[in-house]
């Protein structure tokens, strides 16, 4: 055997061995790394095992554990019986061993580049193999990596066969070995890449947790890989950008990636065809100078969120969302080339993705740069129970009593006639209905589309202008279907 497994347990290597998220599979990944050392490591490695060309799990077990170890030939978890036995060492003992492991601080910093979690969660993961262990486990001792059952370890050997680190074959000949699995070392390691620097991983890796801002990313962690050759998780993500624009979008992506790697971030000039200004893809577009902040996918397309000149009013410096497929051209400028009021390097340095997230969290709607106002709605109770209550929307739509809804109408800026009409509406509705209030972005078309999609299950009460808009649109739509 010429190949020697002398790789350190870097986050990148463990990620490959885990075949999924290290948040769920860190302990297994470290265990596989140790087993590979015992099989392919240098002869001077204290856990290296001298095995025949073909060997069984029991052959490996007898050499890997000490002679006092009697537990991994059955399905009982090994008690702490010998401090010199490998089954006495914890996950951290193996990972941060001064001779064969890695530097703890460096490893943790690298891990947190992939996975967004608190220091306490990382401490629990390293100590107990899971982020949120039960209290009785926290109060106990840390997990010992090889204190599991025989079956657990045999699953590890099966995983190594599946990944190409071992060859495995069941003995089908009559005799005492019938049904046993024999393993054989491979002459060439599987292609698992180079780990000297950070690599780009597919969607199941931790970087995606920074992108997808809800628990959907946990599904990607668990199901991005096929299971027994079958893909079991799919995302039906509507994407309306035409495929013929893919080269243009790819070029913009690379340009923006290079721009955001610069310090300070330079301003850019975009040629943009604005749908709100009734411009078509065939038009040359208008020129706007902006500071690019981040890309946001929302409502079927990616948008570049930037601060600077806007299609709403190019004389006013403000936030805007530029749909990527409508950017005809992008040119990088220097700050010396820009002379706009209220737009300079110092101002733009304060415009960050966090600024946008803070603005978005203040009101319902994608157009975070628009003013917000109070929205009062009435839900049919059955609909509210099914689609609002117990979901993320429950935090957005604050449920209020009927009397509070009436008070909001009475305290609004409507004239007396309008107030009286709305009070009469309230009196005519079912007492079982649910009333909610929420701050929303005024004239945000995505909010209006969502309210339309809920149809007769929701009624807008305030603001009056939005209620009128909804009514007029519905009446116009109804007229299309009259016989």
């Amino acid at each position: 055997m010429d190949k020697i497994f002398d790789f350190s347990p870097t986050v990148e290597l463990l990620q490959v061995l885990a075949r999924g998220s290290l948040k769920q599979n860190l302990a297994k990944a470290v265990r596989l790394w140790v087993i590979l050392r015992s099989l392919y490591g240098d002869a001077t490695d204290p856990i290296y095992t001298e095995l025949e060309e073909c060997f069984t799990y029991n052959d490996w077990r007898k050499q890997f554990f000490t002679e006092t170890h009697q537990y991994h030939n059955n399905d009982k978890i090994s008690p702490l019986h010998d401090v010199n036995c490998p089954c006495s060492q914890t996950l951290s003992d193996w990972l941060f061993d001064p001779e064969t492991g890695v530097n703890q601080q460096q490893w943790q910093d690298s891990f947190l580049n992939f996975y967004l979690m608190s220091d306490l969660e990382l401490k629990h993961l390293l100590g107990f193999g899971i982020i949120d262990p039960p209290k009785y486990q926290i109060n106990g001792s840390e997990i010992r990596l090889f204190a599991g059952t025989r079956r657990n370890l045999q699953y590890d050997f099966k995983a190594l066969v599946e990944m190409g680190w071992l060859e495995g074959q069941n003995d089908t000949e009559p005799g005492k070995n019938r049904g046993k699995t024999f393993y054989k070392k491979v002459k060439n390691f599987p292609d698992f890449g180079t780990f000297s620097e950070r690599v780009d991983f597919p969607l199941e890796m931790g970087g995606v947790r920074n992108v997808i801002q809800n628990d959907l990313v946990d599904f990607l962690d668990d199901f991005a890989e096929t299971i027994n050759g079958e893909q079991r998780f799919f995302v039906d993500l509507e994407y309306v950008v035409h495929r013929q624009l893919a080269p243009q979008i790819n070029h913009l992506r690379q340009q923006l990636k290079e721009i955001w790697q610069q310090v300070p971030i330079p301003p850019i000039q975009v040629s943009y065809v604005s749908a709100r200004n009734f411009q078509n893809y065939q038009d040359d577009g208008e020129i706007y100078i902006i500071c690019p902040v981040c890309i946001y996918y929302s409502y079927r397309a990616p948008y570049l969120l930037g601060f600077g000149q806007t299609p709403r009013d190019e004389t006013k410096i403000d936030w805007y969302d530029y749909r990527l497929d409508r950017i005809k051209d992008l040119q990088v400028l220097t700050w010396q080339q820009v002379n706009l009021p209220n737009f300079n390097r110092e101002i733009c340095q304060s415009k960050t993705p966090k600024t946008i997230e803070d603005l978005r969290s203040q009101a319902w709607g994608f157009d975070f740069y628009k003013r917000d106002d109070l929205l009062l709605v009435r839900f049919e109770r059955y609909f509210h129970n099914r689609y609002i209550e117990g979901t993320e929307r429950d935090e957005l739509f604050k449920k209020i009593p009927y009397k509070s809804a009436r008070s909001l109408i009475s305290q609004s800026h409507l004239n007396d006639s309008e107030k009286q009409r709305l009070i009469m509406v309230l009196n005519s509705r079912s007492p079982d209905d649910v009333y909610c209030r929420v701050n929303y972005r005024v004239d945000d078309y995505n909010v209006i589309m969502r309210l339309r999609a809920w149809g007769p299950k929701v009624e807008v009460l305030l603001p009056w202008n939005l209620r009128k808009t909804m009514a007029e649109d519905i009446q116009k739509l109804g007229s299309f279907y009259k016989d």
Side-chain angles (χ1 to χ4, degrees), residues 50 58 85 90 102 163 197 199 244 284 286 309 311 334 339-340 367 417-418 428 432 451 460 465:
E50 289 280 358
N58 283 339
C85 185
T90 66
V102 289
M163 288 189 285
E197 58 185 38
V199 297
Q244 71 182 19
D284 293 332
E286 302 291 335
Q309 295 176 314
T334 65
N339 184 22
L340 295 174
D367 295 339
S417 174
E418 291 167 341
S428 67
D432 293 328
L451 292 171
V460 174
N465 287 341

Side-chain angles (χ1 to χ4, degrees), residues 63-194:
Q63 290 202 39
F64 183 76
F65 297 105
T66 60
E67 293 181 358
T68 60
H69 188 96
Q70 304 174 12
Y71 300 95
H72 286 296
N73 60 345
N74 56 40
D75 289 324
K76 295 181 179 180
I77 294 179
S78 170
L80 184 58
H81 62 94
D82 182 351
V83 294
N84 295 315
C85 185
C87 75
S88 68
Q89 293 182 264
T90 66
L91 188 158
S92 294
D93 290 337
W94 288 106
L95 197 53
F96 306 126
D97 182 273
E99 298 294 330
T100 58
V102 289
N103 177 272
Q104 182 169 354
Q105 188 59 54
Q106 291 177 356
W107 188 92
Q108 291 181 172
D109 290 343
S110 177
F111 184 89
L112 292 174
N113 280 334
F114 286 91
Y115 294 93
L116 186 64
M117 63 175 65
S118 68
D119 292 341
L120 181 61
E121 287 175 328
L122 180 55
K123 180 181 178 181
H124 287 164
L125 183 63
L126 290 170
F128 309 104
I130 53 178
I131 290 174
D132 189 21
K135 290 184 178 180
Y136 71 83
Q137 190 170 351
I138 295 176
N139 295 329
S141 58
E142 295 185 357
I143 64 165
R144 290 178 290 123
L145 198 62
F146 284 90
T149 65
R150 169 181 59 88
R151 184 172 299 176
N152 292 145
L153 290 175
Q154 287 181 321
Y155 283 142
D156 290 340
F157 275 80
K158 181 181 178 182
L160 292 176
V161 172
E162 292 173 351
M163 288 189 285
W165 291 99
L166 287 173
E167 295 176 4
Q169 184 175 358
N170 290 331
D171 193 331
T172 58
E173 296 295 323
K176 66 178 182 178
N177 290 327
R178 182 179 177 86
K180 282 188 176 182
T181 301
F182 284 85
Y183 301 100
K184 186 177 180 180
K185 297 181 185 180
V186 295
K187 293 182 179 179
N188 295 300
F189 292 163
D191 183 14
F192 57 96
T194 301

Side-chain angles (χ1 to χ4, degrees), residues 293 306-307 310 312 318-320 351-352 355-356 359 368-369:
V293 177
F307 181 79
T310 77
R312 297 196 314 278
D318 202 351
W319 291 100
Y320 197 75
K351 310 303 181 182
T352 67
T355 308
I356 294 173
L359 290 170
F368 60 93
Y369 45 84

